[in-house]
Amino acid sequence: MANMDKVDLLSLYRRMLLIRRFEEKSAEMYALAKIAGFLHLYIGEEAIAVGAIDALRPDDYVISAYRDHGHCLARGSDPGKVMAELFGKATGLCQGKGGSMHLVDLPKRFMGGYAIVGGHIPLATGLAFASKYQKQDLVTVCFFGEGAVPSGQAHEAFNLAALWKLPVIFICENNRYGMGTPVQRAVALYENVAEAARSYGIAAERVDGMDVFAVRALMRRVVDQVRAGQGPYFIEAMTYRFMGHSMADPSHGHYRTKDEVEEHRKRDPLVVLKETMLNQAQCSESDFKELEREVGEVVAAAVTFADESPFPDPASLHADVLVEE
Amino acid sequence: MLLSYREALNQAMREEMRRDSRIFLIGEEVGYYQGAFKVTKGFVEEFGPQRVVDTPITEAGFTGLAIGAAMAGLHPIVELMTMNFGIVALDQIVNNAAKIRYMSGGQLSVPLVIRGPGSAAHQLGAQHSQSLEAWFCHVPGLKVIAPATPHDAKGLLKSAIRDHNPVIFIEAQLLYGTKGEVGDGEYTIPLGQADVKREGTDVTLVAYSKMLLVALEAAEQLSREGLDVEVIDPRTLKPLDLDTIMTSVTKTGRLVIVEEGWRFCGLGAQIAESIYSAAFDYLDAPIVRVTGEDVPIPYSRPLEDAAIPDVPRVVTAVKSLCGAG
């Protein structure tokens, strides 16, 4: 990793830092009751979204589940509009009708966050089906947790994707807990979740989800293959969520120990990346200070924008239930 | 031109698929088998397996795939071998197809038709005999159509395909072989427009799908007994054309609603509520509902017959309402 491009690294770090600081601020805003409902934080998993999405073209499709802020921000959505959506404001990405779990940013080809576990995986195969049907060389990337792998809809989608060689990359973010249930108690093949995809003939491999380089390098290779029509791919990215399942769940709860969380925090993806940058890319502490300052300003501005934005007019309640002719 | 209901549907889809290459058909046995009920006869020869897509028996998976494809700009027609299997795909239909436009604040749309046979048909047993239209009508974001005649089937299916929303299109299995005059060449019937199938002045009979034929036969019998029955087919169940029903009720002062679906929370309850609220002063008698019995549809022929409205029951209901019983 010697002679790594400093600009590239700073850019990767900045995107991961933006997600981290944005989510920390979201937690604060939740405590202040500016954000309500369910709020599932992505803290600890940033390297996956940033590493994977960095390998895509702007016209490729990205689709996610309910822990979707990181993917949306990594795709380049305006943090102000994302925060405003969490606040339920009219200026939000979805005009306040989606909320935390249903972010959509069509110009960024971010096709949404979906809150029924496993239910968006068939949608991803449909996006990929459409690219193939239209003879467009687009790739669809579908993020989900390991908790979605046992669901029937996931398996139906894996089979269709493999059967029709659809250009979709399934990224299983294995953070080891489906809500409060550890993977060992939910998935029979817990030691190798990727076997679920291999059983349909889908090429699969595991990657260190705490290492943004590893994720990006694998994705660059895989995206080319999938784009070339070689069929779907399944990536099991090993990670860990540092926070609870949602804001309703304390950070370590009764289903895991504080020691376990602390152990994983030693491999915090931002710390791992920063160490590499300090050691091998001629970066200095002042570079990081500058990034912290700049990202801090972006997040503060996002909160100000969200706070000062109006709530939706009740007159918009019935808008967009249907496409009006 | 005299066509069967089945041929009318075939013609509608064929004409639309010739017109627009974004339209494709997907479902179990739609291709090489030419449809379990032969609605897609000749399709794979004309359009090829890329556009007439045979699937494994996985309704949630391929319905979800179709929704994803619609989000990416295609216009899928999903054939469910029977609408009963729509229950297997209900998560996709209710949580995704119906909500994606709203949750995204109008960014995404799901132009999609989900069609197939519904209701009872000669001893198919409880799991293959259901009339589920009320379920679909209950969900905001869906349109629901249940045509009774070949002419309506063709014109409404073409409109459903051209609509930009998810449309549930229910074809009663026993109607496939029925024949009727179908207009030559290109025509469409707007969604949300009821049709007065028979004019009369004494009582209004509202019935759709297979029950329209029951209602028309009952009206014939009643006319021989001196009662002049007006028969209205809503055709589109959602949006529902209440104006046409209202106009009729203000003329006749009496309303009987016939539906094969279960009584409790049935579509007729909704129609009755709407008419009571808007036209109570015009009613000369309480609204009467003739419905399916609140039981799973039994297999044995006499029991099955007892569970479903028939001509004698409709005749009796109308006569008692009109004080002629």
Side-chain angles (χ1 to χ4, degrees), chain A residues 102-238:
Chain A
H102 308 299
L103 301 171
V104 173
D105 193 347
L106 189 57
K108 300 285 183 193
R109 297 285 186 123
F110 185 72
M111 304 304 278
Y114 297 86
I116 304 297
V117 172
H120 71 297
I121 305 178
L123 300 181
T125 61
L127 294 166
F129 178 93
S131 320
K132 188 171 180 180
Y133 186 99
Q134 292 161 319
K135 298 187 168 54
Q136 297 169 320
D137 65 340
L138 302 177
V139 163
T140 295
V141 170
C142 177
F143 294 97
F144 51 90
E146 89 291 337
V149 172
S151 84
Q153 297 206 43
H155 286 262
E156 294 187 13
F158 296 159
N159 181 57
L160 291 175
L163 191 64
W164 297 334
K165 288 200 176 337
L166 301 179
V168 53
I169 300 169
F170 300 110
I171 302 186
C172 172
E173 299 176 318
N174 185 349
N175 67 19
R176 298 155 205 241
Y177 292 91
M179 208 169 157
T181 302
V183 62
Q184 295 91 317
R185 290 177 50 216
V187 183
L189 296 168
Y190 63 88
E191 283 177 345
N192 198 336
V193 169
E195 289 299 331
R198 288 199 191 97
S199 71
Y200 296 101
I202 297 176
E205 60 193 285
R206 184 179 260 192
V207 68
D208 178 3
M210 297 305 210
D211 179 349
V212 69
F213 303 118
V215 174
R216 184 169 70 172
L218 172 57
M219 274 293 282
R220 281 178 172 171
R221 171 163 55 82
V222 165
V223 166
D224 285 345
Q225 256 175 261
V226 172
R227 203 185 296 288
Q230 291 183 31
Y233 213 94
F234 184 102
I235 292 171
E236 181 187 6
M238 302 308 293

Side-chain angles (χ1 to χ4, degrees), chain B residues 137-194:
Chain B
C137 286
H138 189 62
V139 182
L142 301 177
K143 292 186 178 182
V144 183
I145 305 174
T149 69
H151 172 82
D152 289 353
K154 180 175 175 185
L156 287 166
L157 183 51
K158 285 170 77 85
S159 293
I161 293 168
R162 295 180 192 189
D163 200 276
H164 300 293
N165 295 291
V167 181
I168 310 293
F169 192 94
I170 303 171
E171 305 152 7
Q173 191 176 320
L174 285 181
L175 289 175
Y176 283 135
T178 57
K179 294 206 166 168
E181 204 54 46
V182 172
D184 283 331
E186 163 77 27
Y187 73 94
T188 59
I189 296 171
L191 306 189
Q193 206 172 87

Side-chain angles (χ1 to χ4, degrees), chain A residues 61 63 85 93-95 97-99 102 104-107 110-114 116-127 129-134 136 153 156-157 159-161 163-164 166 316-325, chain B residues 20-24 26 50-51 53-74 88 91-92 95-96 98 100-110 140-143 162-166 239:
Chain A
Y61 292 115
I63 187 166
E85 188 61 30
L93 277 180
C94 307
Q95 297 167 40
K97 283 176 174 161
H102 308 299
V104 173
D105 193 347
L106 189 57
F110 185 72
M111 304 304 278
Y114 297 86
I116 304 297
V117 172
H120 71 297
I121 305 178
L123 300 181
T125 61
L127 294 166
F129 178 93
S131 320
K132 188 171 180 180
Y133 186 99
Q134 292 161 319
Q136 297 169 320
Q153 297 206 43
E156 294 187 13
N159 181 57
L160 291 175
L163 191 64
W164 297 334
L166 301 179
S316 73
L317 179 64
H318 288 273
D320 294 321
V321 174
L322 293 168
V323 181
E324 304 297 338
E325 304 301 316
Chain B
D20 186 346
S21 64
R22 292 171 304 178
I23 303 167
F24 70 98
I26 183 166
Q50 305 302 319
R51 295 184 66 194
V53 184
D54 283 325
T55 67
I57 303 166
T58 53
E59 285 80 9
F62 68 73
T63 302
L65 180 143
I67 295 166
M71 288 161 67
L74 298 187
V88 179
D91 172 52
Q92 287 298 334
N95 278 315
N96 288 336
I100 280 171
R101 180 162 184 84
Y102 196 74
M103 292 195 305
S104 68
Q107 293 178 77
L108 297 171
S109 57
V110 182
L142 301 177
K143 292 186 178 182
R162 295 180 192 189
D163 200 276
H164 300 293
N165 295 291

